[in-house]
Amino acid sequence: MKKIQADVVVIGGGTAGMGAFRSARQHTDNVYLVESHVFGTTCARVGCMPSKLLIAAAEARHHALHTEPFGVHLDKNSVTVNGEEVMNRVKSERDRFVGFVVSDVEEWPAEKRIMGAAKFVNEHTVQIDDHTQIEADRIVIATGSRPIVLPQWEALGDRLIINDDVFSWDTLPERVAVFGPGVIGLELGQALHRLGVKVEIFGVGGTLGGISDPVILQEAKSVFGEELVLHLNVRTEAKLNDKGEVEIHWSENDKSGVFTADYLLSAIGRRPNTDNLGLENIEIELDERGVPKAHPLTMQTSIPHIFIAGDASNQLPLLHEASDQGKIAGDNAGRYPDIHKGLRRSTIGVVFTNPQIAFVGLKYAQVMERYKNPECVVIGEVSFRNQGRSRVMLVNKGHMRVYAEQSTGLFIGAEMVGPAAEHLAHLLAWAHQQKMTIPQMLDMPFYHPVIEEGLRTALRSVNSQLKLGELHSECAECPGE
């Protein structure tokens, strides 16, 4: 058993772990990075990048099949998809992105990189498999997350897949049952559908794409329901038939049916990888999911010298958040006990469907939870169905809602489904982080004709309802952002 004395050990070599390792090394060279599988980050290998490559291929076919409204006529029979070529590009470009990450890792000293699964022995000691034990003054947990798979699906064998498996395909299947209409399920489900794969999407509770605003949710159900087969509040039973295919027996309200597929894709959520870390060996405060609780500005847990970052922290499982958290955790671990509060940016999330879904600041459900009296909040909105540039481009579907404080005009959040949502969300996120009011946002320039004019319409809708300075008695204690 090799024994090492370290100032800092970082457990996990993904986005958060790499960020923590870099930041800790700015304070001390005696830092070790432990990785149980492979370096390369979830985003590059099986997340953000390969999924966008698949979506790009799907968009190419979709556009080719929908040119007639512009007066451009193609022979639809000549628009074919070569599944092998699609997946070859996805994997080739994916490997290129992974290569950049791995190259960065390989520039770090080899003796500081240890492969194996780490477990806590005590609050200062971690053991890596059966070959290395590290005693560290400070520790950063950055072990990421993994897809959730229901136990009853395991009988499906290799017909049960997760999103990681999609990006190892050599060609496209004919039929896929997608379970989970959240971000991953909706993105992959629509992409596969647009590439000619027969897809049905199954969920419970009536949710879609992480939307909490009832108006936006209804619009999203209408828009995506025009294209995709959605079962959003359904009871199901999955089993293999005599041919080895997956049969999904479903019932929803007064309807029922059977969908036969080549694969069941589990996209019902992700679980933080903290259950096999030996946390039972240390006295650390956990949340209801068994994840160590951490201060969002310092990433410090209830054990002062232990920090947590990225998907493992169960806060905001997004790459840019993991990067920020990793930097904060690594910086504080490196300089401990001199703890600093790090920069946490305004929340922004994008679902890369078509139309896109986006969130900024507080979601509708969070607004309603924080501002108990609805009169303390003003909601402005716009439909993209008649928005000028959107109609020109034939992307005129969707809706946006913007939330503001009544008495101050402070912009506090937004939810949307619609064209160019990724760009609109960035404008709103910048405004939110700068704590701008609705009148201040309306003072910003808007060009013509652009989709951003739809945002201006929503802001004007809010502005027309504001009663600045007229503080409702029940809003006196309303929290500001």
Side-chain angles (χ1 to χ4, degrees):
M1 176 75 67
K2 183 178 181 180
K3 295 196 175 183
I4 297 173
Q5 190 75 35
D7 290 338
V8 179
V9 61
V10 178
I11 306 173
T15 298
M18 291 172 64
F21 184 75
R22 289 191 195 97
S23 295
R25 291 185 75 212
Q26 293 178 5
H27 303 281
T28 172
D29 289 331
N30 192 16
V31 183
Y32 288 82
L33 180 63
V34 181
E35 169 56 46
S36 64
H37 183 44
V38 291
F39 291 101
T41 80
T42 296
C43 172
R45 287 188 180 277
V46 294
C48 327
M49 303 313 292
S51 66
K52 302 312 167 285
L53 286 161
L54 191 70
I55 289 169
E59 290 298 292
R61 178 177 183 267
H62 183 76
H63 290 316
L65 291 172
H66 295 83
T67 61
E68 290 184 358
F70 295 99
V72 178
H73 302 279
L74 300 177
D75 180 359
K76 303 304 183 188
N77 294 324
S78 68
V79 180
T80 59
V81 174
N82 184 309
E84 291 185 8
E85 291 178 9
V86 169
M87 296 312 302
N88 282 342
R89 179 174 187 266
V90 168
K91 291 188 286 188
S92 174
E93 287 295 303
R94 182 270 313 275
D95 292 345
R96 178 172 173 271
F97 291 124
V98 171
F100 292 144
V101 179
V102 173
S103 293
D104 287 344
V105 172
E106 289 176 346
E107 291 181 3
W108 298 333
E111 66 274 12
K112 300 295 186 182
R113 296 180 268 124
I114 301 175
M115 297 301 298
K119 284 192 174 185
F120 281 93
V121 176
N122 56 51
E123 293 183 356
H124 280 283
T125 307
V126 295
Q127 183 161 319
I128 299 92
D129 292 336
D130 57 358
H131 56 74
T132 306
Q133 194 172 85
I134 302 178
E135 186 174 337
D137 290 337
R138 291 90 72 189
I139 299 171
V140 178
I141 301 169
T143 46
S145 63
R146 65 186 184 275
I148 296 172
V149 174
L150 297 181
Q152 59 263 37
W153 294 340
E154 293 177 1
L156 300 178
D158 59 7
R159 295 294 177 170
L160 169 65
I161 60 172
I162 56 176
N163 59 288
D164 303 33
D165 301 317
V166 170
F167 307 118
S168 64
W169 283 342
D170 293 324
T171 190
L172 296 169
E174 293 183 5
R175 305 156 300 176
V176 175
V178 177
F179 274 70
V183 175
I184 296 173
L186 195 55
E187 283 186 353
L188 291 180
Q190 186 184 52
L192 292 172
H193 165 76
R194 290 189 168 190
L195 285 167
V197 178
K198 187 176 181 182
V199 172
E200 294 194 13
I201 299 178
F202 300 87
V204 294
T207 61
L208 184 66
I211 299 168
S212 76
D213 188 306
V215 175
I216 304 301
L217 179 59
Q218 189 57 44
E219 176 72 1
K221 287 180 178 179
S222 174
V223 170
F224 290 108
E226 293 172 2
E227 177 183 358
L228 301 166
V229 179
L230 301 174
H231 307 282
L232 299 181
N233 193 18
V234 65
R235 298 180 59 148
T236 60
E237 180 187 4
K239 60 183 180 181
L240 294 177
N241 63 20
D242 294 340
K243 298 179 181 178
E245 303 165 319
V246 179
E247 282 187 357
I248 309 298
H249 295 255
W250 60 268
S251 60
E252 187 173 16
N253 298 324
D254 58 347
K255 298 180 180 179
S256 62
V258 178
F259 178 60
T260 304
D262 300 306
Y263 297 103
L264 185 156
L265 170 58
S266 176
I268 59 175
R270 298 182 68 86
R271 174 180 290 114
N273 291 325
T274 54
D275 49 339
N276 294 312
L277 278 175
L279 296 180
E280 65 276 7
N281 296 325
I282 59 177
E283 302 256 342
I284 194 167
E285 188 177 353
L286 306 177
D287 67 12
E288 65 280 357
R289 296 183 68 183
V291 176
K293 293 182 178 180
H295 191 289
L297 297 181
T298 66
M299 306 314 299
Q300 191 175 34
T301 69
S302 61
I303 299 176
H305 66 271
I306 297 180
F307 303 82
I308 189 166
D311 285 11
S313 73
N314 200 30
Q315 292 186 15
L316 288 168
L318 301 168
L319 178 132
H320 64 277
E321 292 287 347
S323 180
D324 286 349
Q325 291 178 28
K327 183 178 185 302
I328 294 168
D331 189 48
N332 280 327
R335 69 167 76 242
Y336 183 83
D338 181 19
I339 302 298
H340 290 196
K341 292 181 178 180
L343 171 64
R344 297 304 301 272
R345 306 168 215 265
S346 288
T347 303
I348 177 174
V350 179
V351 185
F352 289 88
T353 47
N354 188 350
Q356 294 176 336
I357 299 168
F359 323 95
V360 172
L362 297 179
K363 287 186 174 184
Y364 175 88
Q366 295 170 315
V367 170
M368 293 300 106
E369 181 180 358
R370 176 172 293 195
Y371 297 84
K372 305 301 182 184
N373 187 340
E375 293 185 19
C376 301
V377 177
V378 176
I379 300 177
E381 54 195 301
V382 63
S383 169
F384 289 102
R385 293 187 179 269
N386 287 311
Q387 198 273 323
R389 182 67 188 280
S390 300
R391 283 191 67 88
V392 167
M393 299 169 65
L394 282 180
V395 292
N396 52 315
K397 294 181 180 180
H399 206 89
M400 173 193 290
R401 298 239 284 176
V402 175
Y403 321 123
E405 281 187 350
Q406 173 60 274
S407 61
T408 65
L410 183 71
F411 167 59
I412 56 176
E415 292 193 46
M416 70 196 82
V417 56
E422 62 182 295
H423 306 300
L424 297 175
H426 275 85
L427 290 179
L428 288 171
W430 287 22
H432 184 269
Q433 188 155 316
Q434 291 297 313
K435 302 186 185 303
M436 294 177 70
T437 65
I438 299 298
Q440 287 173 333
M441 294 166 71
L442 282 168
D443 283 343
M444 296 294 104
F446 288 84
Y447 201 72
H448 173 77
V450 293
I451 291 175
E452 284 77 1
E453 288 177 297
L455 168 57
R456 183 176 62 184
T457 299
L459 295 175
R460 285 174 171 171
S461 172
V462 175
N463 200 52
S464 67
Q465 303 173 64
L466 290 176
K467 300 173 183 177
L468 299 180
E470 297 182 20
L471 188 64
H472 191 287
S473 60
E474 294 185 30
C475 299
E477 300 301 321
C478 280
E481 276 287 279

